Amino acid sequence: MEKFDVLIIGGGPIGIACGLEAKKKGLSYVIIEKGPIVNSLFNYPVNMQFFSSSERLEIDNIPFISKEAKPKRNEALEYYRRIVTSNQLNIHLFERVLDVEKTPEGFTIISDKSKYAADHIVVATGFYDLPNMLNVPGEELSKVSHYYKDPHFYASQKLAVIGASNSAVDAALECWRKGAEVTMIIRGPEVGQRVKYWVRPDILNRINEGSIAAYYNAEIKEITEKEIIFITPDGEQRIENDFVLALTGYMPNFAFLERLGITLSDDANKFPEYNKDTMETNVPGLYLAGVICGGMETHKWFIENSRIHAKIIMKAIQEKSASEA
Ligand SMILES: Cc1cc2nc3c(=O)[nH]c(=O)nc-3n(C[C@H](O)[C@H](O)[C@H](O)COP(=O)(O)OP(=O)(O)OC[C@H]3O[C@@H](n4cnc5c(N)ncnc54)[C@H](O)[C@@H]3O)c2cc1C
């Protein structure tokens, strides 16, 4: 069984930052990623543009040169891929960590391909794998997706976009511009206030001029092959529909965190317990890094403000190993 000083679960931007920092500190490490490099970013919409400028997405001050100030998804894929290849980071791709067992020496890690031993573990598994479900009849139909990819797919189709956040607004505008007949179905009274300030006027104008239909204070009741049915203050609405994008946000894999022994706050936010000075959780030797730290508040942490976790964790591990030596 291969043994490492630190094993990093998740090869997203923050997992990669942790690998790079471990390497710089001379720690033996491996990153285990269940998909391709930066799998979550790979699954983002093809035309997605980051709200951060590229220097704010940089890891370890490695320059991120992009065509515009705010980079596009494919530029970010290239940047993080180049960091992995040019630094020859030790990363296993398309390998999923299934479980972790605490041992007297440290940890045993079981993946769907192998078994490892490690003194320390970093969980950097993000939040993009589990969508917040609507839990209504018809959500399982193939016409319904919680992930938006390419506007071309919806050209000349009747598309319902459920949600009021950045993802929903970007999808609604892009698909409308590709000739989809777009209807936004919004649970609250308005388009989200956190929608990018340079995008919000665009969607409001499209709605006000009638190019994009919008229903507010709406609750989805059912989705059928031909229609979507929802309740508004004006009563039940039934509209013809070909496809549904349910962009209702995502959540961390809380079951996985609890299986690792991490305590979650017993309120709706499910904040994982960790020491803010070391990122170490209530399980000694187990650390959290990246957006997973925010529990259900998935907007709290992002690349800009969580890339520092790598330095905090590897410094803590180095100091801990020195004090135990
Ligand atoms: C549409 C959109 C726009 C965004 N724009 C910005 C922006 O402009 N600026 C910004 O700072 N942030 C932005 N973010 C947020 C940012 O993308 C995320 O914060 C970032 O991906 C977090 O990095 P991470 O490494 O913590 O998590 P992730 O990138 O989600 O990486 C976690 C990785 O863990 C892997 N994984 C999960 N479980 C396992 C397992 N059991 N075994 C092995 N691997 C596993 C996943 O496949 C994934 O690759 C945006 C997010 C979205 C959705």
Side-chain angles (χ1 to χ4, degrees), residues 233-259:
D234 301 329
E236 182 176 292
Q237 312 287 333
R238 304 175 78 97
I239 60 172
E240 263 190 74
N241 172 260
D242 301 311
F243 292 98
V244 176
L245 281 173
L247 302 177
T248 47
Y250 309 93
M251 68 175 122
N253 186 340
F254 292 118
F256 183 65
L257 295 183
E258 287 183 314
R259 216 165 48 242

PDB file of all heavy atoms in Angstrom, residues 233-259:
ATOM      1  N   PRO A 233     -49.032  33.556  -7.507  1.00  0.00           N
ATOM      2  CA  PRO A 233     -50.111  34.261  -6.788  1.00  0.00           C
ATOM      3  C   PRO A 233     -51.386  34.380  -7.642  1.00  0.00           C
ATOM      4  O   PRO A 233     -52.479  34.532  -7.106  1.00  0.00           O
ATOM      5  CB  PRO A 233     -49.482  35.627  -6.508  1.00  0.00           C
ATOM      6  CG  PRO A 233     -48.020  35.348  -6.458  1.00  0.00           C
ATOM      7  CD  PRO A 233     -47.779  34.276  -7.485  1.00  0.00           C
ATOM      8  N   ASP A 234     -51.229  34.260  -8.986  1.00  0.00           N
ATOM      9  CA  ASP A 234     -52.417  34.330  -9.870  1.00  0.00           C
ATOM     10  C   ASP A 234     -53.034  32.958 -10.094  1.00  0.00           C
ATOM     11  O   ASP A 234     -53.886  32.769 -10.964  1.00  0.00           O
ATOM     12  CB  ASP A 234     -52.024  34.938 -11.235  1.00  0.00           C
ATOM     13  CG  ASP A 234     -51.435  36.330 -11.052  1.00  0.00           C
ATOM     14  OD1 ASP A 234     -51.861  36.991 -10.086  1.00  0.00           O
ATOM     15  OD2 ASP A 234     -50.521  36.696 -11.818  1.00  0.00           O
ATOM     16  N   GLY A 235     -52.542  31.962  -9.366  1.00  0.00           N
ATOM     17  CA  GLY A 235     -53.115  30.616  -9.494  1.00  0.00           C
ATOM     18  C   GLY A 235     -52.197  29.668 -10.260  1.00  0.00           C
ATOM     19  O   GLY A 235     -51.026  29.972 -10.521  1.00  0.00           O
ATOM     20  N   GLU A 236     -52.776  28.507 -10.654  1.00  0.00           N
ATOM     21  CA  GLU A 236     -51.981  27.483 -11.334  1.00  0.00           C
ATOM     22  C   GLU A 236     -51.710  27.877 -12.787  1.00  0.00           C
ATOM     23  O   GLU A 236     -52.611  28.370 -13.474  1.00  0.00           O
ATOM     24  CB  GLU A 236     -52.705  26.126 -11.306  1.00  0.00           C
ATOM     25  CG  GLU A 236     -51.899  25.006 -11.950  1.00  0.00           C
ATOM     26  CD  GLU A 236     -52.575  23.654 -11.839  1.00  0.00           C
ATOM     27  OE1 GLU A 236     -52.670  23.131 -10.714  1.00  0.00           O
ATOM     28  OE2 GLU A 236     -52.987  23.127 -12.902  1.00  0.00           O
ATOM     29  N   GLN A 237     -50.451  27.704 -13.219  1.00  0.00           N
ATOM     30  CA  GLN A 237     -50.060  28.002 -14.600  1.00  0.00           C
ATOM     31  C   GLN A 237     -49.619  26.700 -15.264  1.00  0.00           C
ATOM     32  O   GLN A 237     -48.918  25.901 -14.632  1.00  0.00           O
ATOM     33  CB  GLN A 237     -48.881  28.991 -14.623  1.00  0.00           C
ATOM     34  CG  GLN A 237     -49.030  30.199 -13.741  1.00  0.00           C
ATOM     35  CD  GLN A 237     -50.040  31.216 -14.268  1.00  0.00           C
ATOM     36  OE1 GLN A 237     -50.260  31.299 -15.472  1.00  0.00           O
ATOM     37  NE2 GLN A 237     -50.669  31.940 -13.352  1.00  0.00           N
ATOM     38  N   ARG A 238     -50.035  26.507 -16.506  1.00  0.00           N
ATOM     39  CA  ARG A 238     -49.570  25.346 -17.276  1.00  0.00           C
ATOM     40  C   ARG A 238     -49.006  25.913 -18.572  1.00  0.00           C
ATOM     41  O   ARG A 238     -49.738  26.596 -19.303  1.00  0.00           O
ATOM     42  CB  ARG A 238     -50.725  24.391 -17.617  1.00  0.00           C
ATOM     43  CG  ARG A 238     -51.529  23.885 -16.449  1.00  0.00           C
ATOM     44  CD  ARG A 238     -52.707  23.060 -16.930  1.00  0.00           C
ATOM     45  NE  ARG A 238     -52.270  21.715 -17.321  1.00  0.00           N
ATOM     46  CZ  ARG A 238     -52.349  20.653 -16.497  1.00  0.00           C
ATOM     47  NH1 ARG A 238     -52.841  20.803 -15.273  1.00  0.00           N
ATOM     48  NH2 ARG A 238     -51.931  19.456 -16.898  1.00  0.00           N
ATOM     49  N   ILE A 239     -47.720  25.701 -18.839  1.00  0.00           N
ATOM     50  CA  ILE A 239     -47.201  26.217 -20.113  1.00  0.00           C
ATOM     51  C   ILE A 239     -46.569  25.079 -20.900  1.00  0.00           C
ATOM     52  O   ILE A 239     -45.979  24.155 -20.332  1.00  0.00           O
ATOM     53  CB  ILE A 239     -46.192  27.383 -19.924  1.00  0.00           C
ATOM     54  CG1 ILE A 239     -44.976  26.947 -19.098  1.00  0.00           C
ATOM     55  CG2 ILE A 239     -46.848  28.603 -19.296  1.00  0.00           C
ATOM     56  CD1 ILE A 239     -43.882  28.021 -19.058  1.00  0.00           C
ATOM     57  N   GLU A 240     -46.707  25.200 -22.241  1.00  0.00           N
ATOM     58  CA  GLU A 240     -46.079  24.201 -23.119  1.00  0.00           C
ATOM     59  C   GLU A 240     -44.574  24.246 -22.882  1.00  0.00           C
ATOM     60  O   GLU A 240     -44.017  25.328 -22.632  1.00  0.00           O
ATOM     61  CB  GLU A 240     -46.356  24.573 -24.571  1.00  0.00           C
ATOM     62  CG  GLU A 240     -47.547  23.859 -25.219  1.00  0.00           C
ATOM     63  CD  GLU A 240     -47.534  24.156 -26.713  1.00  0.00           C
ATOM     64  OE1 GLU A 240     -46.670  23.578 -27.411  1.00  0.00           O
ATOM     65  OE2 GLU A 240     -48.311  25.041 -27.121  1.00  0.00           O
ATOM     66  N   ASN A 241     -43.905  23.091 -22.962  1.00  0.00           N
ATOM     67  CA  ASN A 241     -42.477  23.084 -22.643  1.00  0.00           C
ATOM     68  C   ASN A 241     -41.752  21.906 -23.275  1.00  0.00           C
ATOM     69  O   ASN A 241     -42.277  20.801 -23.282  1.00  0.00           O
ATOM     70  CB  ASN A 241     -42.336  23.024 -21.114  1.00  0.00           C
ATOM     71  CG  ASN A 241     -40.910  22.829 -20.686  1.00  0.00           C
ATOM     72  OD1 ASN A 241     -40.509  21.727 -20.366  1.00  0.00           O
ATOM     73  ND2 ASN A 241     -40.136  23.882 -20.742  1.00  0.00           N
ATOM     74  N   ASP A 242     -40.549  22.175 -23.804  1.00  0.00           N
ATOM     75  CA  ASP A 242     -39.709  21.113 -24.380  1.00  0.00           C
ATOM     76  C   ASP A 242     -38.597  20.699 -23.421  1.00  0.00           C
ATOM     77  O   ASP A 242     -38.297  19.509 -23.282  1.00  0.00           O
ATOM     78  CB  ASP A 242     -39.075  21.603 -25.696  1.00  0.00           C
ATOM     79  CG  ASP A 242     -40.117  21.994 -26.719  1.00  0.00           C
ATOM     80  OD1 ASP A 242     -41.049  21.185 -26.938  1.00  0.00           O
ATOM     81  OD2 ASP A 242     -40.047  23.120 -27.254  1.00  0.00           O
ATOM     82  N   PHE A 243     -37.957  21.702 -22.792  1.00  0.00           N
ATOM     83  CA  PHE A 243     -36.834  21.402 -21.900  1.00  0.00           C
ATOM     84  C   PHE A 243     -36.907  22.260 -20.644  1.00  0.00           C
ATOM     85  O   PHE A 243     -37.449  23.373 -20.661  1.00  0.00           O
ATOM     86  CB  PHE A 243     -35.498  21.658 -22.606  1.00  0.00           C
ATOM     87  CG  PHE A 243     -35.214  20.695 -23.722  1.00  0.00           C
ATOM     88  CD1 PHE A 243     -35.471  21.035 -25.034  1.00  0.00           C
ATOM     89  CD2 PHE A 243     -34.727  19.424 -23.441  1.00  0.00           C
ATOM     90  CE1 PHE A 243     -35.238  20.135 -26.067  1.00  0.00           C
ATOM     91  CE2 PHE A 243     -34.477  18.522 -24.459  1.00  0.00           C
ATOM     92  CZ  PHE A 243     -34.739  18.864 -25.775  1.00  0.00           C
ATOM     93  N   VAL A 244     -36.348  21.714 -19.558  1.00  0.00           N
ATOM     94  CA  VAL A 244     -36.302  22.428 -18.280  1.00  0.00           C
ATOM     95  C   VAL A 244     -34.866  22.461 -17.774  1.00  0.00           C
ATOM     96  O   VAL A 244     -34.214  21.406 -17.697  1.00  0.00           O
ATOM     97  CB  VAL A 244     -37.192  21.744 -17.220  1.00  0.00           C
ATOM     98  CG1 VAL A 244     -37.055  22.443 -15.873  1.00  0.00           C
ATOM     99  CG2 VAL A 244     -38.647  21.712 -17.667  1.00  0.00           C
ATOM    100  N   LEU A 245     -34.377  23.667 -17.481  1.00  0.00           N
ATOM    101  CA  LEU A 245     -33.088  23.810 -16.794  1.00  0.00           C
ATOM    102  C   LEU A 245     -33.397  24.219 -15.361  1.00  0.00           C
ATOM    103  O   LEU A 245     -33.838  25.337 -15.115  1.00  0.00           O
ATOM    104  CB  LEU A 245     -32.220  24.861 -17.477  1.00  0.00           C
ATOM    105  CG  LEU A 245     -31.489  24.434 -18.743  1.00  0.00           C
ATOM    106  CD1 LEU A 245     -30.809  25.639 -19.396  1.00  0.00           C
ATOM    107  CD2 LEU A 245     -30.448  23.359 -18.418  1.00  0.00           C
ATOM    108  N   ALA A 246     -33.182  23.276 -14.437  1.00  0.00           N
ATOM    109  CA  ALA A 246     -33.467  23.557 -13.021  1.00  0.00           C
ATOM    110  C   ALA A 246     -32.155  23.989 -12.366  1.00  0.00           C
ATOM    111  O   ALA A 246     -31.398  23.176 -11.848  1.00  0.00           O
ATOM    112  CB  ALA A 246     -34.025  22.316 -12.341  1.00  0.00           C
ATOM    113  N   LEU A 247     -31.876  25.284 -12.447  1.00  0.00           N
ATOM    114  CA  LEU A 247     -30.594  25.813 -11.946  1.00  0.00           C
ATOM    115  C   LEU A 247     -30.806  26.355 -10.547  1.00  0.00           C
ATOM    116  O   LEU A 247     -30.786  27.566 -10.289  1.00  0.00           O
ATOM    117  CB  LEU A 247     -30.067  26.854 -12.936  1.00  0.00           C
ATOM    118  CG  LEU A 247     -29.873  26.269 -14.355  1.00  0.00           C
ATOM    119  CD1 LEU A 247     -29.417  27.347 -15.324  1.00  0.00           C
ATOM    120  CD2 LEU A 247     -28.871  25.121 -14.329  1.00  0.00           C
ATOM    121  N   THR A 248     -31.020  25.401  -9.636  1.00  0.00           N
ATOM    122  CA  THR A 248     -31.441  25.709  -8.262  1.00  0.00           C
ATOM    123  C   THR A 248     -30.293  25.564  -7.272  1.00  0.00           C
ATOM    124  O   THR A 248     -30.515  25.398  -6.073  1.00  0.00           O
ATOM    125  CB  THR A 248     -32.570  24.736  -7.897  1.00  0.00           C
ATOM    126  OG1 THR A 248     -32.152  23.416  -8.277  1.00  0.00           O
ATOM    127  CG2 THR A 248     -33.848  25.080  -8.630  1.00  0.00           C
ATOM    128  N   GLY A 249     -29.067  25.589  -7.755  1.00  0.00           N
ATOM    129  CA  GLY A 249     -27.893  25.543  -6.883  1.00  0.00           C
ATOM    130  C   GLY A 249     -27.458  24.116  -6.580  1.00  0.00           C
ATOM    131  O   GLY A 249     -28.118  23.147  -6.996  1.00  0.00           O
ATOM    132  N   TYR A 250     -26.365  24.012  -5.858  1.00  0.00           N
ATOM    133  CA  TYR A 250     -25.742  22.706  -5.577  1.00  0.00           C
ATOM    134  C   TYR A 250     -25.350  22.647  -4.106  1.00  0.00           C
ATOM    135  O   TYR A 250     -25.411  23.659  -3.402  1.00  0.00           O
ATOM    136  CB  TYR A 250     -24.515  22.533  -6.484  1.00  0.00           C
ATOM    137  CG  TYR A 250     -24.870  22.806  -7.927  1.00  0.00           C
ATOM    138  CD1 TYR A 250     -24.711  24.056  -8.483  1.00  0.00           C
ATOM    139  CD2 TYR A 250     -25.411  21.795  -8.712  1.00  0.00           C
ATOM    140  CE1 TYR A 250     -25.096  24.316  -9.788  1.00  0.00           C
ATOM    141  CE2 TYR A 250     -25.798  22.033 -10.018  1.00  0.00           C
ATOM    142  CZ  TYR A 250     -25.645  23.296 -10.549  1.00  0.00           C
ATOM    143  OH  TYR A 250     -26.033  23.567 -11.840  1.00  0.00           O
ATOM    144  N   MET A 251     -24.966  21.461  -3.643  1.00  0.00           N
ATOM    145  CA  MET A 251     -24.563  21.327  -2.230  1.00  0.00           C
ATOM    146  C   MET A 251     -23.410  20.346  -2.095  1.00  0.00           C
ATOM    147  O   MET A 251     -23.251  19.450  -2.930  1.00  0.00           O
ATOM    148  CB  MET A 251     -25.757  20.845  -1.406  1.00  0.00           C
ATOM    149  CG  MET A 251     -26.189  19.441  -1.707  1.00  0.00           C
ATOM    150  SD  MET A 251     -27.483  18.939  -0.583  1.00  0.00           S
ATOM    151  CE  MET A 251     -28.730  18.552  -1.752  1.00  0.00           C
ATOM    152  N   PRO A 252     -22.576  20.509  -1.055  1.00  0.00           N
ATOM    153  CA  PRO A 252     -21.495  19.550  -0.818  1.00  0.00           C
ATOM    154  C   PRO A 252     -22.067  18.158  -0.524  1.00  0.00           C
ATOM    155  O   PRO A 252     -23.238  18.018  -0.200  1.00  0.00           O
ATOM    156  CB  PRO A 252     -20.794  20.119   0.415  1.00  0.00           C
ATOM    157  CG  PRO A 252     -21.185  21.540   0.472  1.00  0.00           C
ATOM    158  CD  PRO A 252     -22.570  21.597  -0.093  1.00  0.00           C
ATOM    159  N   ASN A 253     -21.224  17.152  -0.627  1.00  0.00           N
ATOM    160  CA  ASN A 253     -21.636  15.783  -0.301  1.00  0.00           C
ATOM    161  C   ASN A 253     -21.525  15.591   1.215  1.00  0.00           C
ATOM    162  O   ASN A 253     -20.520  15.106   1.739  1.00  0.00           O
ATOM    163  CB  ASN A 253     -20.749  14.785  -1.047  1.00  0.00           C
ATOM    164  CG  ASN A 253     -21.227  13.359  -0.850  1.00  0.00           C
ATOM    165  OD1 ASN A 253     -21.966  13.079   0.102  1.00  0.00           O
ATOM    166  ND2 ASN A 253     -20.809  12.475  -1.735  1.00  0.00           N
ATOM    167  N   PHE A 254     -22.589  16.018   1.931  1.00  0.00           N
ATOM    168  CA  PHE A 254     -22.565  15.982   3.398  1.00  0.00           C
ATOM    169  C   PHE A 254     -22.444  14.557   3.933  1.00  0.00           C
ATOM    170  O   PHE A 254     -21.785  14.319   4.949  1.00  0.00           O
ATOM    171  CB  PHE A 254     -23.826  16.659   3.949  1.00  0.00           C
ATOM    172  CG  PHE A 254     -23.880  18.139   3.695  1.00  0.00           C
ATOM    173  CD1 PHE A 254     -24.888  18.685   2.924  1.00  0.00           C
ATOM    174  CD2 PHE A 254     -22.918  18.984   4.223  1.00  0.00           C
ATOM    175  CE1 PHE A 254     -24.948  20.048   2.682  1.00  0.00           C
ATOM    176  CE2 PHE A 254     -22.949  20.350   3.985  1.00  0.00           C
ATOM    177  CZ  PHE A 254     -23.976  20.885   3.205  1.00  0.00           C
ATOM    178  N   ALA A 255     -23.048  13.602   3.230  1.00  0.00           N
ATOM    179  CA  ALA A 255     -22.978  12.200   3.691  1.00  0.00           C
ATOM    180  C   ALA A 255     -21.516  11.737   3.720  1.00  0.00           C
ATOM    181  O   ALA A 255     -21.084  11.068   4.671  1.00  0.00           O
ATOM    182  CB  ALA A 255     -23.801  11.314   2.754  1.00  0.00           C
ATOM    183  N   PHE A 256     -20.749  12.152   2.723  1.00  0.00           N
ATOM    184  CA  PHE A 256     -19.328  11.778   2.661  1.00  0.00           C
ATOM    185  C   PHE A 256     -18.568  12.406   3.839  1.00  0.00           C
ATOM    186  O   PHE A 256     -17.789  11.738   4.522  1.00  0.00           O
ATOM    187  CB  PHE A 256     -18.740  12.252   1.326  1.00  0.00           C
ATOM    188  CG  PHE A 256     -17.294  11.874   1.087  1.00  0.00           C
ATOM    189  CD1 PHE A 256     -16.907  10.555   0.950  1.00  0.00           C
ATOM    190  CD2 PHE A 256     -16.312  12.863   0.988  1.00  0.00           C
ATOM    191  CE1 PHE A 256     -15.575  10.213   0.727  1.00  0.00           C
ATOM    192  CE2 PHE A 256     -14.986  12.524   0.755  1.00  0.00           C
ATOM    193  CZ  PHE A 256     -14.615  11.200   0.632  1.00  0.00           C
ATOM    194  N   LEU A 257     -18.854  13.690   4.104  1.00  0.00           N
ATOM    195  CA  LEU A 257     -18.172  14.374   5.210  1.00  0.00           C
ATOM    196  C   LEU A 257     -18.490  13.703   6.541  1.00  0.00           C
ATOM    197  O   LEU A 257     -17.606  13.469   7.362  1.00  0.00           O
ATOM    198  CB  LEU A 257     -18.583  15.845   5.245  1.00  0.00           C
ATOM    199  CG  LEU A 257     -18.188  16.721   4.053  1.00  0.00           C
ATOM    200  CD1 LEU A 257     -18.616  18.174   4.307  1.00  0.00           C
ATOM    201  CD2 LEU A 257     -16.698  16.645   3.775  1.00  0.00           C
ATOM    202  N   GLU A 258     -19.747  13.364   6.736  1.00  0.00           N
ATOM    203  CA  GLU A 258     -20.141  12.723   8.011  1.00  0.00           C
ATOM    204  C   GLU A 258     -19.516  11.328   8.123  1.00  0.00           C
ATOM    205  O   GLU A 258     -19.093  10.927   9.204  1.00  0.00           O
ATOM    206  CB  GLU A 258     -21.666  12.684   8.113  1.00  0.00           C
ATOM    207  CG  GLU A 258     -22.226  14.091   8.392  1.00  0.00           C
ATOM    208  CD  GLU A 258     -23.736  14.114   8.581  1.00  0.00           C
ATOM    209  OE1 GLU A 258     -24.442  13.483   7.766  1.00  0.00           O
ATOM    210  OE2 GLU A 258     -24.186  14.771   9.555  1.00  0.00           O
ATOM    211  N   ARG A 259     -19.392  10.619   6.965  1.00  0.00           N
ATOM    212  CA  ARG A 259     -18.767   9.289   6.992  1.00  0.00           C
ATOM    213  C   ARG A 259     -17.291   9.401   7.414  1.00  0.00           C
ATOM    214  O   ARG A 259     -16.731   8.511   8.037  1.00  0.00           O
ATOM    215  CB  ARG A 259     -18.860   8.649   5.608  1.00  0.00           C
ATOM    216  CG  ARG A 259     -19.077   7.157   5.658  1.00  0.00           C
ATOM    217  CD  ARG A 259     -19.516   6.480   4.380  1.00  0.00           C
ATOM    218  NE  ARG A 259     -18.780   6.806   3.199  1.00  0.00           N
ATOM    219  CZ  ARG A 259     -19.335   7.396   2.139  1.00  0.00           C
ATOM    220  NH1 ARG A 259     -20.600   7.773   2.196  1.00  0.00           N
ATOM    221  NH2 ARG A 259     -18.638   7.654   1.054  1.00  0.00           N
TER     222      ARG A 259
END
